[in-house]
């Protein structure tokens, strides 16, 4: 997760040899470009902090091949998105400030929702244990999505990137969101099946990732 953070910033600050000497260390004149950098950086700083201080993993390690797969996905897309969003010829969204504000609101709400779900899942598993329980909504309104889906953290994650795609109106971001949604749907379906198999009293109305649909 540190890779996408630093890679994106290289393009944002327009370090030499990316866009040509004429644009070395120059700044975009478009406000949306700066907002996009803030949002992208916030997302990955949040991920790093959650990995260190929030998540309680059921497995201590992961297959070595996953490192290469994950880095290719996150780092490659970060560079592709950043190249176009921070390009000197980048044009702002079609509907201007209204589109940016709406998308920013979607992004912020989904980021708060994602963090809330991670905290709720953390509280289900005591430190040092591998206990599994059915997650239920808490007093936090962002967790109420548990009423309808098994993996609302993925729902919020996809929502964040949809908001980011609308904000930047950038095709690479939309493709990143689509690939991420596909992978998270696979994970959500697997977790949903696991819940159904393990807990006989699992809420029957829940879907894996999208309420009433998927």
């Amino acid at each position: 997760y540190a890779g996408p953070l630093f890679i994106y910033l290289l393009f944002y600050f327009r370090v030499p040899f990316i866009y040509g000497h004429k644009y070395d260390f120059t700044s975009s004149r478009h406000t949306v470009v700066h907002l996009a950098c803030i949002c992208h950086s916030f997302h990955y700083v949040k991920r790093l902090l959650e990995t260190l201080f929030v998540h309680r993993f059921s497995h201590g390690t992961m297959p070595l091949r996953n490192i290469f797969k994950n880095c290719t996905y996150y780092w490659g897309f970060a560079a592709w998105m950043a190249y176009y969003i921070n390009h000197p010829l980048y044009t702002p969204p079609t509907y201007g400030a209204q589109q940016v504000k709406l998308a920013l609101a979607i992004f912020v709400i989904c980021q708060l929702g994602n963090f809330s779900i991670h905290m709720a899942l953390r509280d289900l598993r005591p430190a040092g244990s591998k206990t599994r329980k059915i997650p239920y909504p808490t007093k936090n309104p962002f967790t109420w999505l548990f009423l309808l889906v098994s993996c609302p953290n993925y729902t919020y994650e996809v929502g964040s990137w949809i908001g980011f795609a609308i904000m930047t109106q950038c095709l690479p971001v939309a493709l990143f969101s689509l690939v991420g949604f596909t992978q998270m749907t696979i994970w959500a379906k697997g977790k949903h099946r696991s819940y159904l198999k393990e807990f006989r009293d699992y809420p029957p109305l829940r879907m894996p990732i999208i309420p009433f649909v998927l």
Side-chain angles (χ1 to χ4, degrees), residues 73 77 80 170-180:
Y73 170 66
F77 266 110
W80 194 22
C170 181
L171 180 59
V173 181
L175 293 176
F176 176 76
S177 305
L178 178 61
V179 174

Side-chain angles (χ1 to χ4, degrees), residues 13-27 88:
F13 289 112
R14 294 179 179 172
V15 298
F17 311 114
I18 294 181
Y19 299 117
H21 295 299
K22 178 182 178 181
Y23 299 105
D24 290 351
F25 299 113
T26 58
S27 179

Side-chain angles (χ1 to χ4, degrees), residues 9 11 17 26 40 60 77 104-105 167 207:
L9 291 176
F11 289 88
F17 311 114
T26 58
H40 190 275
F77 266 110
L104 179 61
M167 180 196 305
M207 298 295 286

